Amino acid sequence: MRCALCHCDASLRNSHIIPEFLYRSLYDEKHRFQQISTDAKTQTVYLQKGLREQLLCETCEQRLSVWERYVSMLLSGGVDVAGRRTGDRLYLAELDYRKVKLFQLSVLWRAGVSSLPTFSQVQLGPHEERIRTMLLTEDPGSTTTYGCIMFMLVHGHERVQDLLVPPTWARFVGQKSYRFVFGGLVFLYLVSSTKPPSFVADHLLQERGTAIVKLQQMSQMRYLVDTASKMHNLGKLVLKREEL
């Protein structure tokens, strides 16, 4: 079978679309998590592993794992970075731009080529091949090339980590964008051939290894509230009143 990334004929791995380490906070004591759908006809199921499909060869899996390991250590405090908080923003420095950006691109691209219904809204069109080439040549591109704005989800004074929502598309500053929610973060990808305005570009991961992460109250993200409310009304999710 043909690897989706290198296009070589090889034995394919059961590849994660969203990296496995981002599911950790979702697992229960039996190492299961619930896959909940907003479709009333789709039943809630328990899964032992994150969503996977036969997609990549062993060589390409290893290529992506280097970037995943760095971001996993970054989120768990295993990588030393400089940072400060001012109000509702975290200002980070000394990041490995190449590894973080390629990680971001790899998640977006995998969702775009996936045949799983969970990722059906991610339709990259001609950008799919461009991003594949960037990953294959390990070229992260410039700051504004498929840039990603990062938010840290909070509820009150606590970080929200046990939430993973199927990616959706939206219009942001006139550009098509995709919203991913996992690991306590929201990734907002700008997928366009046009550069975003400077006030948006300032909030993207910078080539000098800096980034701004906004602390975002979950209650202020309308589409997340609407999704949670819909699942609650279907009897698939029990929420405290103050979380809606």
Side-chain angles (χ1 to χ4, degrees):
M1 298 178 72
R2 191 172 82 157
C3 173
L5 183 55
C6 68
H7 286 182
C8 293
D9 288 327
S11 226
L12 299 186
R13 294 279 302 276
N14 215 12
S15 305
H16 284 92
I17 308 304
I18 304 297
E20 175 65 18
F21 74 87
L22 292 167
Y23 287 88
R24 288 174 188 162
S25 59
L26 301 176
Y27 288 128
D28 62 15
E29 66 281 356
K30 296 181 180 180
H31 204 270
R32 307 175 306 173
F33 75 96
Q34 295 183 70
Q35 183 181 19
I36 305 173
S37 172
T38 55
D39 183 352
K41 297 179 182 179
T42 302
Q43 293 185 341
T44 296
V45 296
Y46 283 93
L47 299 176
Q48 295 278 358
K49 285 278 189 180
L51 299 176
R52 300 175 294 166
E53 64 180 296
Q54 290 191 323
L55 196 67
L56 303 175
C57 67
E58 176 66 24
T59 299
C60 289
E61 280 278 352
Q62 292 303 316
R63 183 194 309 273
L64 270 57
S65 71
V66 173
W67 312 327
E68 291 177 3
R69 176 171 171 75
Y70 177 80
V71 174
S72 174
M73 293 177 65
L74 184 64
L75 293 178
S76 64
V79 174
D80 289 331
V81 296
R84 61 182 173 85
R85 177 177 174 178
T86 302
D88 62 354
R89 283 170 170 75
L90 296 175
Y91 294 86
L92 303 178
E94 300 177 14
L95 299 170
D96 188 319
Y97 171 79
R98 179 174 161 277
K99 288 180 180 177
V100 176
K101 182 69 180 289
L102 288 170
F103 168 82
Q104 291 175 341
L105 292 174
S106 74
V107 174
L108 174 65
W109 176 79
R110 277 178 278 183
V113 299
S114 174
S115 62
L116 299 178
T118 298
F119 305 101
S120 61
Q121 286 205 31
V122 184
Q123 301 291 329
L124 299 176
H127 302 287
E128 179 182 303
E129 177 60 20
R130 293 171 195 163
I131 297 173
R132 184 186 77 85
T133 301
M134 293 171 72
L135 295 173
L136 196 58
T137 59
E138 301 188 9
D139 172 18
S142 68
T143 288
T144 56
T145 304
Y146 305 118
C148 178
I149 302 174
M150 296 179 288
F151 302 85
M152 182 178 290
L153 274 182
V154 293
H155 174 60
H157 297 290
E158 295 185 359
R159 185 176 171 191
V160 178
Q161 298 189 66
D162 55 347
L163 183 66
L164 191 151
V165 179
T168 55
W169 77 273
R171 287 285 173 188
F172 180 74
V173 294
Q175 298 186 1
K176 191 167 188 178
S177 64
Y178 293 98
R179 303 171 297 199
F180 287 67
V181 181
F182 49 67
L185 298 169
V186 177
F187 279 21
L188 178 66
Y189 292 92
L190 304 179
V191 181
S192 172
S193 299
T194 305
K195 287 187 177 182
S198 58
F199 74 89
V200 173
D202 290 344
H203 285 75
L204 303 175
L205 175 67
Q206 304 294 311
E207 293 173 60
R208 60 181 179 272
T210 62
I212 299 174
V213 179
K214 187 177 186 299
L215 275 64
Q216 183 69 50
Q217 289 290 334
M218 182 176 168
S219 60
Q220 295 175 351
M221 302 201 82
R222 190 72 247 167
Y223 83 99
L224 285 182
V225 174
D226 290 345
T227 299
S229 295
K230 184 174 182 179
M231 290 191 293
H232 176 67
N233 292 335
L234 291 171
K236 295 185 175 185
L237 188 66
V238 178
L239 294 175
K240 299 177 182 178
R241 184 175 298 274
E242 62 267 25
E243 292 179 335
L244 292 177

